Amino acid sequence: MAPKVSTAQRRLLREFQELTRSPTDGIVAGPISEDNLFKWRCLLEGPPSTIYENGVFEAEMDFPSDYPLSPPKLKFKSQILHPNIYKDGTVCISILHPPGDDPMQYESADERWGPLQSVEKILLSVCSMLAEPNPNSPADVDAAKLWREDRDRFNQIVQAQVLKTLE
């Protein structure tokens, strides 16, 4: 007897098939293994005309068992300095915050996770975040401070990280 396939597994398989059929420039993503649809490997090209341009940044996405009701977690494996990425690589972006009202009242419910979001939308949002950091809501306070106060040094560090992704 075949194992029961959950709603989350069906949805993830459908999203993977769509990404394969209609790839998005600068984004490659899919399950790490065919035995586990809940853990994906992602490769994101740094957005053109930004300091991240030409970088190829590796990340992992972990999906909860109740996906798409709850958002996945996204964590960069490549070293990347950015105000909205924690030092451990975890991405802090509205689209990945749990659905509903923000207890801090910083973001509206429609900016947060909803079941209509998709892997492609998440990764496109992360690419936009790379291009346009929000230093007013930092995950990495040191990176935000450096971005605001010494942009040249911030850019030098990021350029070194971009080169490292190409090794």
Side-chain angles (χ1 to χ4, degrees):
M1 191 162 78
K4 187 175 181 215
V5 177
S6 71
T7 301
Q9 289 169 310
R10 279 194 300 276
R11 168 76 180 262
L12 288 166
L13 186 57
R14 193 168 59 246
E15 288 195 48
F16 175 58
Q17 290 168 337
E18 180 59 30
L19 282 169
T20 304
R21 262 195 314 275
S22 304
T24 301
D25 285 346
I27 294 173
V28 177
I32 292 174
S33 121
E34 44 184 76
D35 298 337
N36 182 1
L37 291 174
F38 292 94
K39 190 172 197 77
W40 287 32
R41 180 174 183 237
C42 310
L43 295 173
L44 300 175
E45 283 183 20
S49 304
T50 72
I51 57 171
Y52 299 96
E53 184 174 26
N54 299 321
V56 180
F57 299 94
E58 182 181 355
E60 283 186 0
M61 196 176 288
D62 288 305
F63 296 88
S65 59
D66 67 345
Y67 180 81
L69 298 177
S70 297
K73 295 196 179 338
L74 181 65
K75 185 175 185 175
F76 277 96
K77 295 300 182 185
S78 303
Q79 192 175 19
I80 185 166
L81 181 69
H82 191 281
N84 307 114
I85 299 173
Y86 289 99
K87 289 182 193 311
D88 73 354
T90 302
V91 174
C92 181
I93 189 172
S94 299
I95 193 173
L96 293 177
H97 293 161
D101 292 326
D102 177 11
M104 307 300 282
Q105 299 181 343
Y106 179 75
E107 48 197 24
S108 65
D110 61 338
E111 294 175 301
R112 295 166 69 88
W113 179 256
L116 297 178
Q117 304 294 1
S118 66
V119 171
E120 180 185 36
K121 287 179 186 172
I122 293 166
L123 297 176
L124 286 171
S125 293
V126 170
C127 288
S128 293
M129 176 199 76
L130 289 177
E132 298 177 29
N134 179 359
N136 299 322
S137 179
D140 182 340
V141 175
D142 295 331
K145 184 174 189 238
L146 191 60
W147 189 83
R148 279 193 304 266
E149 296 175 7
D150 190 351
R151 188 73 58 88
D152 288 341
R153 180 72 186 126
F154 182 91
N155 291 351
Q156 287 173 350
I157 293 169
V158 170
Q159 283 300 297
Q161 292 173 340
V162 164
L163 290 174
K164 193 168 184 171
T165 71
L166 303 175
E167 292 177 351

